[in-house]
Amino acid sequence: ALAKGFDNCLYSVTKAPTNAPEYVYRYDPATRQGRYTTWQLPTQGPEAVWISAATDEHGDLYFATSDAAKLVKVSPATGAVTVLWTQDPLRTMPYY
């Protein structure tokens, strides 16, 4: 998963399925330096991988699992990691 932040840095998460939490990696192309952040995404499970979902107008980064089972928001300004859902909302609808 790869996302570009408002700070022009690239943020990535390993694309390997794992049952361990994942740290977000930050790469700054201006300094050609990279390091892991303290932001930790929850486990995605053995069958899914993290994919980049979006960057919103506030600069928050979103990562989703490939099966849409989880959506996580990372706020670079505060360092907060928020799980927005742990089950695809469409699959919980009566018509699904």
Side-chain angles (χ1 to χ4, degrees):
L2 183 65
K4 183 176 179 186
F6 279 3
D7 57 0
N8 248 4
C9 291
L10 300 174
Y11 295 91
S12 67
V13 180
T14 305
K15 194 170 171 135
T18 179
N19 279 327
E22 295 275 344
Y23 285 99
V24 177
Y25 187 82
R26 179 182 182 266
Y27 175 75
D28 185 348
T31 63
R32 295 184 181 183
Q33 298 286 318
R35 65 175 173 77
Y36 281 97
T37 66
T38 58
W39 315 328
Q40 192 174 33
L41 303 185
T43 61
Q44 73 266 32
E47 301 293 321
V49 295
W50 287 110
I51 57 175
S52 176
T55 303
D56 70 11
E57 68 273 5
H58 304 289
D60 295 331
L61 309 170
Y62 292 83
F63 295 95
T65 54
S66 56
D67 62 358
K70 292 181 184 166
L71 178 66
V72 176
K73 176 176 84 170
V74 177
S75 299
T78 64
V81 176
T82 307
V83 177
L84 299 178
W85 78 57
T86 56
Q87 184 175 4
D88 182 354
L90 292 177
R91 293 183 188 214
T92 61
M93 302 307 280
Y95 58 81
Y96 187 81

